[in-house]
Amino acid sequence: MLRTAGEHHFRTHDGVDLFYRHWPAVGGARRGAVVLLHRGHEHSGRMAHLVDELDLPDVDFFAWDARGHGRSPGVRGFSPSFATSVRDLQTFAEHLDAAHGVATPDLHVVAQSVGAVLAATWAHDYAPPVRGLTLASPAFSIKLYVPFARQGIALLQRLRGPFFVNSYVKPRFLTHDPERIASYGTDPLITRPIASNVLLGLYEAADRVVADAQAITQPVQLLISGADWVVRQQPQIDFFDRLGSRVKTRLDLPGFFHDTLGERDRAPAVRAVRDFVLERFAGPPIPVDLRQADRHGATADEARALAAPLPALSPRGLYWAATRAGLRLGGRLSRGIALGHATGFDSGSTLDYVYRNTPEGAPLVGRAIDRTYLESIGWRGIRQRKLHVEELLQAAMRRVAAQGRAVRLLDIAAGHGRYVLDAVQASPVPVASVLLRDYSEINVRDGRALIAARGLDGTAQFVKADAFDRASLAATVPRPTVAVVSGLYELFPDNTAVQRSLHGVADAVEEGGYLVYTGQPWHPQLEMIARALTSHRQGSAWVMRRRTQAEMDQLVAAAGFRKVAQRIDEWGIFTVSLAVRQGAAAA
């Protein structure tokens, strides 16, 4: 039975109405839904043939036009960033739940090329519990053919800002199907240009996702075109080999061009996709249990390797010794580096300095060094994390107030508490009480001074307390309706301690209350941090074990919370999530 699509729009976080098509199920009760994500330069109409070819009558199909493509608005080929487009996909999934009653665990994604990189990045960064992912010829590494083209585009963008690059690909190099070749050449909705910032963001996200594919645990089917003129095969193979999925399958298609699911002889590939989708919907999803990832797995191995000392006279040992010496010299001139050496580069005092983002130090040279220090990718991510924490704190406050309940805030490891106090003062929602806790006498002292400077003595108080003491957290009075833990769990590799803390928070927070929590699924400077920077814990090396977003979400869920929103910076380093307290926490 041929199906007819309904035409709809959904609104993104920044107010753009994106176009999508919906083909309702025609075979009785709906089993689930398939989301189709088109290639770069194309639109949802180019994927529409799959609705009938996949022959899944009891499955809904949805297909969007990404922003700047097809019938969606915006400058052709442009997005504010690749991360913005990934967030669009998260918003689309939320919309499908709200508008069509299709929960994320009932979604299977079928994506091609750039759409496949979007889907893989979404799976990595947001850890959506989708039923599965089918990725056809993901554009992890585009063949630009011109030597140093990527570096040239990056340099030109730094000099003149974002610009547009036109696609060099001819239709006859995409598929052997004469009908699709002809239609590609005459389709007025084909978007040949792509913005330089999107192209560079695509490369950066692809590099990160391929390198860290073990973080992706959803079932994955990978289709590789054997005669692809557009993208390289090796990154696809590396991605597949590194996947953390319990269920993964790879199909190599000799002779296929890049338009994998639009090839002339695509029937076997389409049949394989159909079989994979049916297998995923044949039973309930079984997620990979990551609660023991601190003991075994990729991030545990990575942290152990970073903690192992290097031979002093080895090339790497000498390199990092020189780096540490340079930082000691920099600390004589830069206020920020000196503070890191004195209190730990992960201390509340250092973070408060990074939040203020005002370079200090010896005139000229010292301040220039301090500015470079403050502009490092990690500290830029920390400042964006602060903004996301404040955003989701205010969202939680609005939700609690809408329920007719008093807003009572608890931060279990507040540092100086600046982000909480900033959120409170910027929110129109009145706050009944704010309780800030921290183990450090310095943080308690400076936090109390900040409360006094803000004139919040009657509302906020700061006490010394242990964030990992479950009984102490459970005894919090009055019971909070909004709790926050920011930047704490990232410093401790042990999941047992984190679970103890989260259960204490769950004991404290009222049912229906909210938790704002942070994560660090990725960091491009892990070795530099481990080899050159010191922690607040007796000046020891600052070795971080990354937690994937899926691992962090599972720990939070085990304590009795359900994630309802998430934010992530454009580099994929720091996440901030909002979860609602439901039912009793597990023991």
Side-chain angles (χ1 to χ4, degrees):
M1 178 183 294
L2 297 178
R3 290 197 241 179
T4 302
E7 298 182 351
H8 308 271
H9 292 83
F10 75 98
R11 178 151 293 190
T12 64
H13 71 281
D14 55 350
V16 179
D17 290 328
L18 299 187
F19 173 82
Y20 70 96
R21 293 176 165 93
H22 173 212
W23 294 264
V26 295
R30 179 176 66 197
R31 184 188 304 204
V34 169
V35 172
L36 304 172
L37 301 180
H38 60 78
R39 295 192 324 103
H41 309 292
E42 294 196 353
H43 56 89
S44 58
R46 305 285 298 178
M47 298 283 282
H49 63 97
L50 292 172
V51 174
D52 295 316
E53 292 177 11
L54 284 169
D55 188 24
L56 298 167
D58 56 354
V59 171
D60 277 23
F61 281 81
F62 298 91
W64 76 349
D65 288 0
R67 67 168 71 203
H69 292 75
R71 292 169 60 182
S72 286
V75 177
R76 301 296 84 185
F78 177 79
S79 176
S81 68
F82 189 78
T84 298
S85 296
V86 177
R87 184 171 174 183
D88 287 345
L89 183 51
Q90 172 65 20
T91 306
F92 189 34
E94 294 168 359
H95 171 79
L96 296 182
D97 190 355
H100 299 278
V102 182
T104 302
D106 294 325
L107 291 178
H108 186 96
V109 178
V110 177
Q112 291 211 120
S113 187
V114 173
V117 182
L118 276 175
T121 308
W122 180 50
H124 180 280
D125 290 357
Y126 289 84
V130 293
R131 197 61 65 101
L133 302 166
T134 294
L135 308 178
S137 300
F140 291 135
S141 179
I142 299 173
K143 297 177 180 179
L144 294 178
Y145 291 101
V146 177
F148 305 107
R150 179 178 174 182
Q151 295 83 350
I153 292 170
L155 176 61
L156 190 56
Q157 180 172 281
R158 281 197 295 271
L159 294 174
R160 57 176 287 191
F163 59 97
F164 290 89
V165 179
N166 279 323
S167 172
Y168 63 86
V169 180
K170 304 298 182 184
R172 67 180 182 275
F173 296 129
L174 293 172
T175 176
H176 295 89
D177 186 329
E179 183 179 338
R180 286 184 68 82
I181 292 172
S183 64
Y184 189 94
T186 59
D187 189 337
L189 294 179
I190 293 292
T191 301
R192 293 191 176 276
I194 182 172
S196 58
N197 67 310
V198 176
L199 182 59
L200 294 172
L202 168 68
Y203 265 110
E204 291 165 3
D207 289 347
R208 174 167 58 87
V209 168
V210 170
D212 197 41
Q214 58 83 25
I216 297 175
T217 58
Q218 300 90 337
V220 173
Q221 179 186 43
L222 177 64
L223 277 60
I224 300 180
S225 289
D228 199 323
W229 290 82
V230 180
V231 302
R232 295 178 178 85
Q233 290 185 14
Q234 191 59 50
Q236 300 176 55
I237 296 169
D238 294 341
F239 170 80
F240 182 82
D241 290 343
R242 295 169 184 161
L243 279 170
S245 309
R246 179 185 292 113
V247 177
K248 61 178 183 177
T249 181
R250 171 180 150 189
L251 178 62
D252 292 283
L253 299 162
F256 270 49
F257 284 173
H258 184 59
D259 187 12
T260 311
L261 297 176
E263 260 289 19
R264 180 188 57 203
D265 302 317
R266 61 183 174 270
V270 172
R271 185 164 55 250
V273 175
R274 182 179 187 275
D275 290 345
F276 190 73
V277 173
L278 286 174
E279 289 169 6
R280 304 286 68 74
F281 284 119
I286 304 175
V288 176
D289 189 342
L290 299 168
R291 291 173 293 175
Q292 305 298 318
D294 57 328
R295 300 180 186 179
H296 51 79
T299 61
D301 293 342
E302 178 183 74
R304 282 191 283 266
L306 290 172
L310 298 171
L313 298 180
S314 68
R316 288 176 61 214
L318 292 170
Y319 172 82
W320 290 115
T323 301
R324 290 190 293 272
L327 283 168
R328 286 193 295 271
L329 177 60
R332 296 177 179 274
L333 302 170
S334 156
R335 166 63 179 154
I337 297 174
L339 185 64
H341 285 309
T343 66
F345 286 90
D346 58 350
S347 69
S349 297
T350 291
L351 290 188
D352 197 66
Y353 185 81
V354 170
Y355 291 153
R356 287 186 278 120
N357 196 27
T358 302
E360 298 178 26
L364 297 179
V365 174
R367 291 180 185 174
I369 293 172
D370 207 49
R371 169 50 61 199
T372 300
Y373 168 74
L374 288 171
E375 283 301 310
S376 68
I377 186 67
W379 293 147
R380 281 186 283 157
I382 285 288
R383 288 192 289 273
Q384 185 59 55
R385 185 183 71 182
K386 175 181 183 289
L387 298 177
H388 285 157
V389 168
E390 292 171 12
E391 177 191 349
L392 291 187
L393 266 177
Q394 292 176 8
M397 293 160 62
R398 290 193 299 271
R399 291 184 183 215
V400 169
Q403 298 168 3
R405 294 192 290 167
V407 176
R408 297 186 293 273
L409 287 175
L410 166 69
D411 189 324
I412 70 171
H416 291 188
R418 185 177 298 274
Y419 54 87
V420 174
L421 301 180
D422 285 351
V424 167
Q425 292 195 303
S427 174
V429 176
V431 176
S433 65
V434 178
L435 176 59
L436 306 179
R437 298 164 46 120
D438 203 276
Y439 87 103
S440 164
E441 292 280 9
I442 295 174
N443 290 344
V444 173
R445 179 200 67 200
D446 292 346
R448 286 173 176 169
L450 194 58
I451 288 171
R454 301 289 184 91
L456 293 172
D457 299 271
T459 302
Q461 60 173 319
F462 210 129
V463 300
K464 182 179 180 182
D466 183 356
F468 295 99
D469 185 337
R470 178 172 180 175
S472 171
L473 289 165
T476 301
V477 177
R479 292 190 69 186
T481 51
V482 179
V484 57
V485 52
S486 175
L488 173 68
Y489 299 148
E490 295 90 310
L491 305 180
F492 296 87
D494 180 19
N495 279 355
T496 301
V498 171
Q499 287 181 307
R500 185 170 63 248
S501 175
L502 282 168
H503 280 80
V505 174
D507 293 339
V509 174
E510 289 185 357
E511 187 171 345
Y514 290 89
L515 169 67
V516 175
Y517 63 97
T518 61
Q520 182 184 279
W522 173 258
H523 202 299
Q525 296 177 320
L526 281 179
E527 186 170 19
M528 189 276 288
I529 293 168
R531 304 292 183 193
L533 304 185
T534 52
S535 169
H536 67 281
R537 288 169 284 181
Q538 290 79 48
S540 60
W542 182 9
V543 178
M544 292 187 289
R545 184 184 74 82
R546 297 182 296 119
R547 281 185 181 87
T548 66
Q549 190 61 35
E551 179 188 347
M552 192 67 234
D553 290 346
Q554 286 186 16
L555 295 173
V556 169
F561 292 92
R562 177 176 57 86
K563 187 170 81 169
V564 295
Q566 186 191 311
R567 303 289 182 264
I568 187 168
D569 58 67
E570 64 179 288
W571 310 284
I573 303 175
F574 297 109
T575 65
V576 182
S577 302
L578 177 65
V580 62
R581 174 80 167 85
Q582 50 183 23

